[in-house]
């Protein structure tokens, strides 16, 4: 695993180093300074460098380099995650913009954190909430001395993302289902690519150590629960990734999402849906070029979502030739104008009602060029945000909160769908 962690300044001088194994030495820092920092490769090359049978994995914070050294075949993702978590811990103790001076003024604290977050080259506990229970230096406010049994349980990683003794007057859970639609349609109207990437963001304000059970309209779960006479439709969810509080064993067994939530905001899961995507907008473009001096573009936009909903911050960028000199624009609503720096007609609509249709008509005058060159037509790009709508069809079926005291929990669910790469070729 990791043999040494070093923190170097922009001159390549070692500010702090901690050796976990004896197969590398501080001399290796000279090689890193010469071949990476002095050669100015950090911004142009991959953050992994192999020098003299030693691998250097590094990342930057301001003008400092956080470097991990190893001679073994480690998982790079694991090493980088540790480095990122290390920086996050230091931000909690030293402030968001900690610099070289604050590092030098807190050597004792940093060495203590290095010993607690890694043992013999293996990453250990990097949770700030747990570290501050027994390391109360820096900007971290000291807390009441925890019971030894509680401290041991959290240090060993049983439930290190939530501390005991949390109390709220009102027990509330806020759930945000945030989706991004990626679409590419050919000039003939056929769909070349369509997918939805989503994430479930939660903000929990719950007393004690509750266990939560979360349910989506997952196709596998719906088919299992429905009887022979009553068939319910579900969404086929692909590529789920979860927060580490979720019990993966139960999910693998029966697709139930069970967890003890962290306190406050966290991302519960991410998912992807490829089939049966509900496209929020349908675009029908028509482009006609009249010789070398004129062209016309007509675009019809149809909102496919319910008339009870509306889209906000709609921006449609319709590309035009680079030699465009004048444009005459007609649109049914919103504001549209020619923006030469983008080589596009930018159509902005603050509020787009559901099931509505709108038209854009553009007549272009082009400057005749000495060497005529065919216009390579870039795709139309669309940006939007539709509240209370999911392109994948995913929705929250239930959230059950179980606690010893049996308190009542208020739940709020919000859905937001945004455009990812939403493009239509013309």
């Amino acid at each position: 695993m990791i043999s040494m962690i070093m923190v170097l300044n922009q001159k390549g001088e070692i500010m702090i180093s901690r050796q976990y194994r004896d197969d590398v030495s501080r001399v290796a820092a000279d090689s890193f300074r010469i071949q990476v920092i002095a050669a100015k490769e950090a911004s142009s090359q991959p953050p992994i460098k192999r020098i003299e049978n030693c691998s250097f994995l590094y990342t930057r914070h301001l003008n400092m380099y956080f470097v991990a050294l190893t001679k073994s075949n480690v998982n790079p993702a694991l090493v980088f995650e540790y480095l990122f978590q290390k920086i996050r811990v230091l931000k909690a103790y030293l402030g968001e913009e900690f610099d070289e001076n604050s590092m030098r003024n807190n050597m004792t604290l940093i060495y203590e954190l290095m010993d607690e977050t890694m043992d013999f080259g293996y990453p250990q506990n990097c949770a700030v909430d747990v570290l501050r229970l027994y390391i109360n230096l820096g900007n971290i406010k000291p807390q009441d001395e925890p019971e030894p049994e509680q401290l041991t349980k959290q240090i060993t990683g049983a439930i290190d993302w939530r501390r005991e003794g949390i109390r709220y007057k009102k027990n509330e859970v806020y759930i945000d289902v945030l989706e991004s639609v990626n679409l590419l349609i050919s000039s003939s109207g056929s769909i070349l690519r369509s997918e939805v990437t989503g994430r479930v963001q939660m903000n929990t304000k719950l007393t004690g150590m509750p266990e939560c059970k979360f349910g989506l309209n997952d196709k596998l779960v719906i088919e299992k629960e429905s009887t022979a006479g009553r068939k319910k439709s579900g969404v086929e969810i692909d590529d789920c990734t979860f927060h580490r509080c979720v019990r993966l064993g139960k999910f693998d067994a029966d697709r139930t999402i069970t967890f003890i939530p962290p306190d406050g905001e966290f991302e519960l899961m991410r998912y992807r849906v490829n089939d049966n995507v509900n496209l929020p907008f349908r675009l029908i473009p028509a482009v006609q070029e009249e010789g070398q001096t004129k062209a016309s573009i007509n675009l019809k936009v149809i909102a496919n979502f319910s008339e009870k909903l509306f889209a906000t911050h709609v921006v449609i960028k319709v590309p035009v030739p680079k030699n465009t000199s004048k444009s005459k624009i007609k649109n049914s609503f919103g504001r549209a104008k020619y923006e030469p720096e983008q080589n596009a007609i930018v159509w902005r609509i603050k509020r787009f009602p559901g099931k509505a249709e709108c038209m854009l008509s553009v007549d272009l005058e082009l400057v005749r060029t000495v060497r005529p060159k065919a216009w390579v037509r870039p795709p139309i790009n669309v940006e939007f945000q539709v509240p209370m709508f999911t392109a994948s069809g995913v929705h929250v079926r239930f959230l059950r909160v179980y606690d010893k005291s049996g308190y009542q929990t208020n739940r709020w669910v919000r859905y937001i769908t945004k455009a990812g790469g939403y493009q239509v070729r013309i």
Side-chain angles (χ1 to χ4, degrees):
M1 286 300 295
I2 299 174
S3 300
M4 179 186 286
I5 296 291
M6 300 188 303
V7 182
L8 292 80
N9 60 16
Q10 59 185 353
K11 297 178 182 179
E13 299 170 347
I14 298 178
M15 298 163 49
I16 295 172
S17 68
R18 180 68 172 88
Q19 192 167 353
Y20 298 99
R21 299 188 177 212
D22 57 2
D23 54 350
V24 298
S25 65
R26 285 172 61 108
V27 179
D30 295 332
S31 303
F32 181 81
R33 181 178 66 248
I34 295 169
Q35 298 196 33
V36 177
I37 299 178
K40 298 182 179 180
E41 286 189 357
S43 59
S44 60
Q45 297 295 323
I48 301 176
K49 187 74 173 179
R50 184 79 175 169
I51 305 173
E52 298 176 1
N53 296 324
C54 184
S55 298
F56 293 79
L57 298 89
Y58 60 92
T59 185
R60 291 185 64 175
H61 171 73
L62 300 182
N63 60 346
M64 295 176 289
Y65 294 84
F66 286 75
V67 188
L69 288 73
T70 180
K71 285 197 172 183
S72 60
N73 186 20
V74 299
N75 182 350
L78 175 65
V79 178
F80 283 117
E81 179 64 19
Y82 172 78
L83 293 176
F84 296 148
Q85 292 293 335
K86 186 71 177 178
I87 293 174
R88 185 179 66 85
V89 169
L90 291 175
K91 285 180 178 180
Y93 277 88
L94 305 179
E96 286 290 325
E97 299 296 328
F98 71 90
D99 56 9
E100 185 175 344
N101 291 330
S102 58
M103 292 277 285
R104 293 188 185 278
N105 294 334
N106 293 274
M107 289 288 189
T108 304
L109 168 64
I110 295 171
Y111 276 114
E112 200 170 345
L113 290 172
M114 282 187 163
D115 289 337
E116 294 296 340
T117 56
M118 181 167 287
D119 184 23
F120 196 58
Y122 292 93
Q124 301 295 311
N125 201 333
C126 294
V128 177
D129 290 341
V130 178
L131 290 172
R132 67 181 179 181
L133 290 174
Y134 50 95
I135 301 179
N136 294 323
L137 302 174
N139 292 337
I140 296 293
K141 296 179 180 179
Q143 297 184 336
D144 296 335
E145 188 69 23
E147 294 292 331
E149 292 182 4
Q150 174 189 348
L151 186 59
T152 303
K153 182 190 293 186
Q154 291 183 321
I155 293 174
T156 54
I159 304 175
D160 64 347
W161 56 85
R162 185 182 182 90
R163 61 182 176 85
E164 294 184 359
I166 298 174
R167 293 287 181 268
Y168 286 100
K169 290 183 179 180
K170 290 184 179 180
N171 294 285
E172 302 171 319
V173 178
Y174 299 87
I175 305 172
D176 287 341
V177 180
L178 310 175
E179 292 193 343
S180 177
V181 189
N182 300 302
L183 173 72
L184 180 60
I185 295 181
S186 68
S187 55
S188 61
S190 59
I191 297 176
L192 302 177
R193 178 175 66 93
S194 68
E195 70 170 12
V196 176
T197 57
R199 56 193 177 95
V200 178
Q201 197 80 18
M202 297 186 71
N203 186 358
T204 60
K205 299 179 179 180
L206 299 173
T207 300
M209 298 287 284
E211 182 174 285
C212 298
K213 191 173 183 180
F214 181 75
L216 299 171
N217 57 332
D218 188 352
K219 184 177 181 180
L220 295 178
V221 177
I222 295 291
E223 289 178 351
K224 186 185 297 184
E225 292 179 354
S226 61
T227 58
R230 296 174 56 192
K231 287 189 176 180
K232 299 179 182 179
S233 61
V235 177
E236 190 171 344
I237 301 175
D238 304 317
D239 297 343
C240 295
T241 58
F242 295 99
H243 188 275
R244 59 198 180 98
C245 67
V246 176
R247 296 175 179 170
L248 297 179
K250 295 203 70 173
F251 180 78
D252 291 338
D254 53 12
R255 300 284 287 192
T256 59
I257 303 172
T258 307
F259 57 97
I260 295 176
D263 185 42
E265 295 185 9
F266 69 100
E267 185 180 283
L268 177 65
M269 64 177 291
R270 286 177 180 258
Y271 61 88
R272 183 168 57 88
V273 175
N274 292 321
D275 299 328
N276 301 319
V277 176
N278 303 317
L279 300 178
F281 289 98
R282 183 185 174 201
L283 281 73
I284 306 174
V287 181
Q288 185 175 358
E289 298 183 54
E290 302 172 7
Q292 298 180 22
T293 58
K294 289 186 179 181
S296 62
I297 301 174
N298 293 296
L299 177 64
K300 184 177 184 180
V301 183
I302 305 171
N304 292 330
F305 46 88
S306 170
E307 62 272 6
K308 297 179 181 179
L309 306 177
F310 59 88
T312 60
H313 308 297
V314 179
V315 180
I316 303 172
K317 296 180 181 179
V318 183
V320 297
K322 292 183 178 180
N323 59 331
T324 299
S325 59
K326 291 183 180 179
S327 61
K328 185 178 180 181
I329 304 172
K330 294 180 182 179
N331 53 293
S332 51
F333 58 87
R335 297 179 62 184
K337 68 174 183 177
Y338 170 53
E339 297 188 2
E341 64 276 8
Q342 299 194 47
N343 293 317
I345 304 294
V346 182
W347 187 11
R348 293 180 172 87
I349 304 170
K350 289 184 178 180
R351 186 184 176 99
F352 200 121
K355 299 299 182 184
E357 298 182 6
C358 62
M359 291 289 300
L360 175 71
S361 178
V362 183
D363 293 322
L364 302 172
E365 292 186 15
L366 310 177
V367 176
R368 189 185 295 273
T369 57
V370 177
R371 295 180 180 179
K373 188 177 181 181
W375 176 34
V376 179
R377 301 179 180 182
I380 298 173
N381 281 281
V382 187
E383 301 172 11
F384 57 82
Q385 180 173 306
V386 187
M388 303 311 294
F389 172 82
T390 57
S392 65
V394 168
H395 67 263
V396 179
R397 294 172 59 215
F398 61 83
L399 174 67
R400 302 189 183 106
V401 179
Y402 304 97
D403 188 75
K404 296 177 182 178
S405 59
Y407 54 74
Q408 295 296 318
T409 305
N410 296 322
R411 307 165 182 83
W412 284 271
V413 182
R414 180 175 61 171
Y415 303 93
I416 298 177
T417 294
K418 296 181 180 181
Y422 206 93
Q423 298 181 332
V424 178
R425 291 178 178 171
I426 57 178

